[in-house]
Amino acid sequence: SPTPLKVAVTGAAGQIGYSLLFRLASGALGDRPIELRLLEIEPALKTLEGVVMELDDCAFPGLAGIEIGHEAEKVFEGVNLALLVGARPRGPGMERGDLLEANGAIFTAQGKALNAVAADDVRIGVTGNPANTNALIAMTNAPDIDPSRFSALTRLDHNRAISQLAAKTGASVTEIKKMTIWGNHSATQYPDLFHAEVRGQNAAEAVGDQDWLENTFIPTVAKRGAAIIDARGSSSAASAASATVDAARDWLHGSAQDDWVSMAVVSDGSYGVPEGLISSFPVTTKDGDWKIVQGLEIDDFSRGRIDASTAELAEERDAVKGLGLI
Ligand code: NAX
Protein backbone atom coordinates (compact mmCIF):
# COMPACT_ATOMS: atom_id res chain seq x y z
CA SER A 1 0.00 0.00 0.00
CA PRO A 2 1.22 3.58 -0.67
CA THR A 3 3.03 5.50 2.08
CA PRO A 4 0.56 7.69 3.93
CA LEU A 5 0.44 11.43 3.32
CA LYS A 6 1.59 13.02 6.57
CA VAL A 7 -0.74 15.89 7.39
CA ALA A 8 -0.06 18.23 10.29
CA VAL A 9 -2.91 20.20 11.81
CA THR A 10 -2.24 22.84 14.46
CA GLY A 11 -4.90 23.99 16.88
CA ALA A 12 -6.33 20.53 16.46
CA ALA A 13 -8.40 20.65 19.65
CA GLY A 14 -10.18 23.82 18.52
CA GLN A 15 -13.50 24.38 16.78
CA ILE A 16 -12.20 24.17 13.21
CA GLY A 17 -10.12 21.15 14.14
CA TYR A 18 -13.20 19.32 15.35
CA SER A 19 -14.63 19.45 11.86
CA LEU A 20 -11.44 19.41 9.81
CA LEU A 21 -9.89 16.26 11.26
CA PHE A 22 -12.92 14.12 10.43
CA ARG A 23 -13.05 15.42 6.87
CA LEU A 24 -9.35 14.70 6.35
CA ALA A 25 -9.58 11.26 7.95
CA SER A 26 -12.60 10.26 5.89
CA GLY A 27 -10.71 10.79 2.65
CA ALA A 28 -11.39 14.38 1.57
CA LEU A 29 -7.87 14.69 0.11
CA GLY A 30 -8.13 11.56 -2.02
CA ASP A 31 -7.51 7.84 -1.82
CA ARG A 32 -3.99 7.95 -0.41
CA PRO A 33 -4.07 7.00 3.29
CA ILE A 34 -3.20 9.80 5.67
CA GLU A 35 -1.33 10.03 8.93
CA LEU A 36 -2.44 12.88 11.17
CA ARG A 37 0.13 14.89 13.14
CA LEU A 38 -1.73 17.07 15.60
CA LEU A 39 -0.13 20.02 17.36
CA GLU A 40 -1.68 21.75 20.36
CA ILE A 41 -0.54 23.77 23.32
CA GLU A 42 0.04 21.62 26.39
CA PRO A 43 -3.14 22.59 28.30
CA ALA A 44 -5.28 21.48 25.33
CA LEU A 45 -3.71 18.03 24.95
CA LYS A 46 -6.31 16.33 27.15
CA THR A 47 -9.14 17.68 25.01
CA LEU A 48 -7.19 16.59 21.95
CA GLU A 49 -6.91 13.07 23.38
CA GLY A 50 -10.71 13.00 23.48
CA VAL A 51 -10.88 14.03 19.82
CA VAL A 52 -8.40 11.26 18.97
CA MET A 53 -10.66 8.76 20.80
CA GLU A 54 -13.51 9.85 18.53
CA LEU A 55 -11.32 9.56 15.43
CA ASP A 56 -10.42 6.02 16.54
CA ASP A 57 -14.09 5.27 17.03
CA CYS A 58 -14.87 6.16 13.41
CA ALA A 59 -12.64 3.29 12.22
CA PHE A 60 -11.76 5.31 9.10
CA PRO A 61 -10.17 2.90 6.63
CA GLY A 62 -7.87 5.57 5.19
CA LEU A 63 -6.51 6.80 8.51
CA ALA A 64 -3.10 5.19 8.88
CA GLY A 65 -2.08 6.75 12.20
CA ILE A 66 -2.33 9.69 14.57
CA GLU A 67 0.33 11.40 16.63
CA ILE A 68 -0.25 14.30 18.95
CA GLY A 69 2.03 16.63 20.84
CA HIS A 70 2.93 20.16 21.86
CA GLU A 71 6.42 20.33 20.34
CA ALA A 72 6.37 21.53 16.74
CA GLU A 73 9.72 19.95 15.84
CA LYS A 74 8.41 16.52 16.77
CA VAL A 75 4.91 16.85 15.35
CA PHE A 76 6.07 18.34 12.02
CA GLU A 77 8.69 15.62 11.42
CA GLY A 78 8.41 14.55 7.77
CA VAL A 79 5.05 16.22 7.09
CA ASN A 80 3.95 16.64 3.47
CA LEU A 81 1.13 19.04 4.25
CA ALA A 82 0.82 21.41 7.21
CA LEU A 83 -2.48 23.10 7.95
CA LEU A 84 -1.76 25.88 10.42
CA VAL A 85 -5.12 26.52 12.04
CA GLY A 86 -4.21 27.29 15.65
CA ALA A 87 -3.72 30.94 16.45
CA ARG A 88 -4.18 33.33 19.30
CA PRO A 89 -7.61 35.01 19.20
CA ARG A 90 -7.92 38.65 20.17
CA GLY A 91 -8.69 38.71 23.90
CA PRO A 92 -10.34 41.49 25.91
CA GLY A 93 -8.20 44.61 26.04
CA MET A 94 -5.72 43.27 23.49
CA GLU A 95 -4.43 45.84 21.04
CA ARG A 96 -3.67 45.03 17.42
CA GLY A 97 0.06 45.07 18.17
CA ASP A 98 -0.43 42.58 21.03
CA LEU A 99 -2.32 40.28 18.68
CA LEU A 100 0.37 40.46 16.02
CA GLU A 101 3.03 39.82 18.65
CA ALA A 102 1.23 36.81 20.18
CA ASN A 103 0.71 35.27 16.75
CA GLY A 104 4.19 36.25 15.70
CA ALA A 105 5.58 34.07 18.46
CA ILE A 106 3.51 31.11 17.23
CA PHE A 107 4.27 31.49 13.53
CA THR A 108 7.99 32.24 13.87
CA ALA A 109 8.38 29.05 15.92
CA GLN A 110 6.28 26.97 13.55
CA GLY A 111 8.06 28.36 10.48
CA LYS A 112 11.42 27.42 12.00
CA ALA A 113 10.21 23.96 12.95
CA LEU A 114 8.85 23.30 9.45
CA ASN A 115 12.12 24.55 8.00
CA ALA A 116 14.01 22.06 10.15
CA VAL A 117 11.93 18.89 9.88
CA ALA A 118 9.19 18.97 7.22
CA ALA A 119 9.39 16.74 4.14
CA ASP A 120 11.00 18.19 0.99
CA ASP A 121 7.61 18.33 -0.75
CA VAL A 122 5.82 20.14 2.09
CA ARG A 123 2.89 22.48 1.36
CA ILE A 124 1.80 24.85 4.12
CA GLY A 125 -1.66 26.38 4.36
CA VAL A 126 -2.42 28.99 7.01
CA THR A 127 -5.98 29.32 8.27
CA GLY A 128 -5.30 30.95 11.67
CA ASN A 129 -5.79 34.72 11.70
CA PRO A 130 -4.43 37.16 10.70
CA ALA A 131 -3.88 34.48 8.07
CA ASN A 132 -1.96 36.41 5.39
CA THR A 133 0.48 37.96 7.83
CA ASN A 134 0.87 34.74 9.82
CA ALA A 135 1.81 33.02 6.55
CA LEU A 136 4.31 35.80 5.81
CA ILE A 137 5.89 35.31 9.25
CA ALA A 138 6.12 31.53 8.85
CA MET A 139 7.51 31.86 5.30
CA THR A 140 10.17 34.36 6.36
CA ASN A 141 11.23 32.10 9.21
CA ALA A 142 11.62 29.09 6.89
CA PRO A 143 14.41 30.23 4.54
CA ASP A 144 15.06 26.74 3.13
CA ILE A 145 11.47 26.19 2.03
CA ASP A 146 10.48 27.69 -1.32
CA PRO A 147 8.14 30.66 -0.64
CA SER A 148 5.66 29.21 -3.12
CA ARG A 149 4.96 26.42 -0.64
CA PHE A 150 3.15 28.84 1.68
CA SER A 151 -0.39 30.08 1.28
CA ALA A 152 -3.09 31.64 3.42
CA LEU A 153 -6.74 30.71 3.26
CA THR A 154 -9.14 32.92 1.31
CA ARG A 155 -11.08 29.94 0.00
CA LEU A 156 -13.83 30.46 2.58
CA ASP A 157 -14.34 34.00 1.26
CA HIS A 158 -14.28 32.58 -2.28
CA ASN A 159 -16.92 29.99 -1.43
CA ARG A 160 -19.04 32.60 0.33
CA ALA A 161 -18.89 34.79 -2.77
CA ILE A 162 -19.96 31.90 -5.01
CA SER A 163 -22.87 31.12 -2.72
CA GLN A 164 -24.08 34.74 -2.61
CA LEU A 165 -23.85 35.10 -6.39
CA ALA A 166 -25.69 31.81 -6.93
CA ALA A 167 -28.51 32.95 -4.64
CA LYS A 168 -28.77 36.30 -6.44
CA THR A 169 -28.84 34.86 -9.96
CA GLY A 170 -30.73 31.61 -9.35
CA ALA A 171 -27.78 29.65 -10.73
CA SER A 172 -26.39 26.59 -9.00
CA VAL A 173 -22.95 26.92 -7.43
CA THR A 174 -21.57 24.62 -10.14
CA GLU A 175 -22.64 27.15 -12.79
CA ILE A 176 -20.37 29.82 -11.29
CA LYS A 177 -16.76 29.97 -12.41
CA LYS A 178 -13.73 32.22 -12.10
CA MET A 179 -14.58 33.84 -8.79
CA THR A 180 -11.74 35.88 -7.33
CA ILE A 181 -10.97 37.20 -3.88
CA TRP A 182 -8.19 39.78 -3.99
CA GLY A 183 -6.07 41.02 -1.09
CA ASN A 184 -6.31 40.34 2.61
CA HIS A 185 -8.55 37.85 4.44
CA SER A 186 -10.16 40.73 6.31
CA ALA A 187 -12.95 43.26 5.87
CA THR A 188 -10.91 44.98 3.12
CA GLN A 189 -10.88 41.90 0.88
CA TYR A 190 -12.23 42.42 -2.63
CA PRO A 191 -14.57 39.77 -4.01
CA ASP A 192 -14.55 40.45 -7.78
CA LEU A 193 -17.58 39.88 -10.03
CA PHE A 194 -16.03 41.54 -13.09
CA HIS A 195 -14.09 38.41 -14.01
CA ALA A 196 -16.48 35.80 -12.63
CA GLU A 197 -18.95 33.95 -14.83
CA VAL A 198 -22.50 32.75 -14.33
CA ARG A 199 -23.52 30.08 -16.86
CA GLY A 200 -20.74 31.37 -19.13
CA GLN A 201 -21.88 35.00 -18.92
CA ASN A 202 -19.88 37.75 -17.22
CA ALA A 203 -21.19 37.87 -13.64
CA ALA A 204 -21.28 41.67 -13.27
CA GLU A 205 -23.32 41.86 -16.48
CA ALA A 206 -25.55 38.96 -15.44
CA VAL A 207 -26.29 40.77 -12.17
CA GLY A 208 -26.61 44.13 -13.94
CA ASP A 209 -26.84 46.01 -10.67
CA GLN A 210 -23.75 47.95 -9.58
CA ASP A 211 -25.54 49.07 -6.41
CA TRP A 212 -26.10 45.45 -5.31
CA LEU A 213 -22.54 44.57 -6.24
CA GLU A 214 -21.04 47.43 -4.23
CA ASN A 215 -23.43 47.82 -1.35
CA THR A 216 -24.76 44.31 -0.78
CA PHE A 217 -22.53 41.68 -2.35
CA ILE A 218 -19.10 42.94 -1.33
CA PRO A 219 -20.01 43.79 2.29
CA THR A 220 -22.02 40.58 2.74
CA VAL A 221 -19.04 38.47 1.71
CA ALA A 222 -16.48 40.58 3.57
CA LYS A 223 -18.50 40.69 6.81
CA ARG A 224 -19.87 37.15 6.70
CA GLY A 225 -17.62 36.03 9.54
CA ALA A 226 -19.17 38.63 11.86
CA ALA A 227 -22.70 37.64 10.73
CA ILE A 228 -21.97 34.01 11.62
CA ILE A 229 -20.74 35.05 15.07
CA ASP A 230 -23.94 37.08 15.60
CA ALA A 231 -26.15 34.16 14.61
CA ARG A 232 -24.27 31.20 16.06
CA GLY A 233 -22.54 32.74 19.03
CA SER A 234 -19.19 31.47 17.84
CA SER A 235 -17.09 31.93 14.74
CA SER A 236 -17.45 29.91 11.56
CA ALA A 237 -15.90 26.51 12.02
CA ALA A 238 -17.38 23.80 9.78
CA SER A 239 -17.35 26.12 6.76
CA ALA A 240 -13.77 27.18 7.54
CA ALA A 241 -12.77 23.52 7.81
CA SER A 242 -14.51 22.75 4.53
CA ALA A 243 -12.69 25.60 2.80
CA THR A 244 -9.38 24.46 4.28
CA VAL A 245 -10.03 21.03 2.76
CA ASP A 246 -11.05 22.51 -0.62
CA ALA A 247 -7.89 24.60 -0.74
CA ALA A 248 -5.56 21.73 0.19
CA ARG A 249 -7.23 19.29 -2.21
CA ASP A 250 -7.04 21.67 -5.16
CA TRP A 251 -3.45 22.62 -4.35
CA LEU A 252 -2.34 18.98 -4.28
CA HIS A 253 -4.54 17.66 -7.08
CA GLY A 254 -5.18 20.66 -9.34
CA SER A 255 -7.94 23.17 -10.01
CA ALA A 256 -10.72 22.43 -12.51
CA GLN A 257 -10.29 23.00 -16.27
CA ASP A 258 -11.53 26.44 -17.41
CA ASP A 259 -11.79 27.67 -13.85
CA TRP A 260 -9.60 29.06 -11.11
CA VAL A 261 -9.56 29.39 -7.33
CA SER A 262 -8.56 32.10 -4.86
CA MET A 263 -5.46 31.59 -2.74
CA ALA A 264 -3.33 34.06 -0.84
CA VAL A 265 0.20 33.50 -2.13
CA VAL A 266 3.43 35.46 -2.24
CA SER A 267 3.16 38.27 -4.78
CA ASP A 268 5.58 38.53 -7.69
CA GLY A 269 4.24 42.01 -8.40
CA SER A 270 1.36 40.80 -10.57
CA TYR A 271 -1.54 43.25 -10.80
CA GLY A 272 0.48 45.89 -8.99
CA VAL A 273 0.43 43.97 -5.69
CA PRO A 274 3.73 44.79 -3.96
CA GLU A 275 6.21 41.95 -4.33
CA GLY A 276 6.61 39.78 -1.26
CA LEU A 277 3.19 40.36 0.28
CA ILE A 278 0.99 37.30 0.78
CA SER A 279 -2.11 38.46 -1.02
CA SER A 280 -5.10 36.67 -2.49
CA PHE A 281 -5.10 36.20 -6.27
CA PRO A 282 -6.90 34.17 -8.89
CA VAL A 283 -4.71 31.09 -9.29
CA THR A 284 -4.73 27.82 -11.16
CA THR A 285 -3.09 24.82 -9.53
CA LYS A 286 -1.51 21.70 -10.93
CA ASP A 287 0.66 18.97 -9.38
CA GLY A 288 1.10 20.86 -6.13
CA ASP A 289 2.06 24.18 -7.70
CA TRP A 290 0.07 27.37 -8.26
CA LYS A 291 0.22 30.05 -10.92
CA ILE A 292 -1.34 33.48 -10.76
CA VAL A 293 -3.84 33.91 -13.62
CA GLN A 294 -2.39 36.60 -15.88
CA GLY A 295 -3.83 39.14 -18.28
CA LEU A 296 -7.05 40.15 -16.53
CA GLU A 297 -8.11 43.72 -17.16
CA ILE A 298 -8.49 45.70 -13.98
CA ASP A 299 -10.83 48.72 -14.16
CA ASP A 300 -10.70 51.74 -11.84
CA PHE A 301 -13.23 50.31 -9.41
CA SER A 302 -11.32 47.06 -8.99
CA ARG A 303 -7.98 48.92 -8.88
CA GLY A 304 -9.14 50.98 -5.92
CA ARG A 305 -10.39 47.94 -4.02
CA ILE A 306 -7.26 45.88 -4.64
CA ASP A 307 -5.01 48.80 -3.65
CA ALA A 308 -6.93 49.38 -0.41
CA SER A 309 -6.62 45.76 0.67
CA THR A 310 -2.96 45.41 -0.29
CA ALA A 311 -2.20 48.68 1.55
CA GLU A 312 -3.58 47.03 4.68
CA LEU A 313 -1.34 44.02 4.07
CA ALA A 314 1.67 46.30 3.70
CA GLU A 315 0.79 47.94 7.03
CA GLU A 316 0.57 44.54 8.73
CA ARG A 317 3.92 43.58 7.22
CA ASP A 318 5.50 46.81 8.45
CA ALA A 319 4.06 46.21 11.94
CA VAL A 320 5.52 42.70 12.22
CA LYS A 321 8.80 43.97 10.79
CA GLY A 322 8.80 46.62 13.50
CA LEU A 323 8.33 43.88 16.07
CA GLY A 324 11.33 42.02 14.65
CA LEU A 325 9.25 39.01 13.61
CA ILE A 326 10.37 39.06 9.99
P1 NAX B 1 -10.31 27.86 18.53
O1 NAX B 1 -9.93 28.91 19.51
O2 NAX B 1 -11.53 27.04 18.75
O3 NAX B 1 -9.09 26.85 18.36
C1 NAX B 1 -7.78 27.29 18.20
C2 NAX B 1 -6.88 26.25 18.82
O4 NAX B 1 -5.54 26.61 18.57
C3 NAX B 1 -7.04 26.11 20.33
O5 NAX B 1 -7.35 24.76 20.65
C4 NAX B 1 -5.67 26.52 20.85
O6 NAX B 1 -5.28 25.77 22.00
C5 NAX B 1 -4.78 26.20 19.66
N1 NAX B 1 -3.49 26.88 19.70
C6 NAX B 1 -3.19 28.11 20.15
N2 NAX B 1 -1.88 28.34 20.05
C7 NAX B 1 -1.33 27.24 19.50
C8 NAX B 1 0.00 26.87 19.17
N3 NAX B 1 1.03 27.70 19.41
N4 NAX B 1 0.21 25.66 18.63
C9 NAX B 1 -0.82 24.82 18.41
N5 NAX B 1 -2.09 25.10 18.74
C10 NAX B 1 -2.35 26.30 19.26
O7 NAX B 1 -10.36 28.61 17.12
P2 NAX B 1 -11.02 28.13 15.75
O8 NAX B 1 -12.43 28.56 15.72
O9 NAX B 1 -10.71 26.69 15.52
O10 NAX B 1 -10.24 29.05 14.72
C11 NAX B 1 -8.85 28.88 14.50
C12 NAX B 1 -8.30 30.06 13.73
O11 NAX B 1 -8.91 30.14 12.44
C13 NAX B 1 -8.53 31.41 14.39
O12 NAX B 1 -7.36 32.18 14.27
C14 NAX B 1 -9.61 32.02 13.52
O13 NAX B 1 -9.61 33.43 13.57
C15 NAX B 1 -9.24 31.49 12.18
N6 NAX B 1 -10.25 31.53 11.13
C16 NAX B 1 -9.84 31.73 9.85
C17 NAX B 1 -10.71 31.73 8.78
C18 NAX B 1 -10.22 31.93 7.39
O14 NAX B 1 -11.05 31.93 6.49
N7 NAX B 1 -8.93 32.10 7.11
C19 NAX B 1 -12.16 31.56 9.00
C20 NAX B 1 -12.49 30.92 10.30
C21 NAX B 1 -11.66 31.36 11.46
O15 NAX B 1 -12.13 32.61 11.91
Side-chain angles (χ1 to χ4, degrees), residues 10-17 39-41 44 70 85-89 103 106 110 126-131 134 152-157 160 185 235-237 240 243:
T10 70
Q15 285 205 91
I16 293 175
L39 184 70
E40 258 297 350
I41 52 173
H70 69 275
V85 176
R88 181 73 187 278
N103 279 298
I106 295 173
Q110 294 183 0
V126 178
T127 296
N129 279 323
N134 288 341
L153 189 75
T154 51
R155 186 61 174 265
L156 178 55
D157 310 298
R160 286 167 171 167
H185 167 69
S235 58
S236 34

Side-chain angles (χ1 to χ4, degrees), residues 123-144:
R123 266 69 183 166
I124 299 140
V126 178
T127 296
N129 279 323
N132 302 54
T133 296
N134 288 341
L136 180 70
I137 294 169
M139 181 184 91
T140 311
N141 283 277
D144 303 325

Side-chain angles (χ1 to χ4, degrees), residues 88-169:
R88 181 73 187 278
R90 191 191 289 247
M94 237 174 143
E95 299 293 331
R96 208 173 91 103
D98 302 333
L99 185 74
L100 289 173
E101 202 162 3
N103 279 298
I106 295 173
F107 288 86
T108 48
Q110 294 183 0
K112 285 178 182 150
L114 287 164
N115 195 61
V117 301
D120 286 344
D121 68 353
V122 70
R123 266 69 183 166
I124 299 140
V126 178
T127 296
N129 279 323
N132 302 54
T133 296
N134 288 341
L136 180 70
I137 294 169
M139 181 184 91
T140 311
N141 283 277
D144 303 325
I145 300 177
D146 190 298
S148 72
R149 302 294 187 78
F150 289 83
S151 76
L153 189 75
T154 51
R155 186 61 174 265
L156 178 55
D157 310 298
H158 176 100
N159 288 346
R160 286 167 171 167
I162 289 176
S163 163
Q164 292 299 320
L165 179 61
K168 172 73 173 173
T169 58

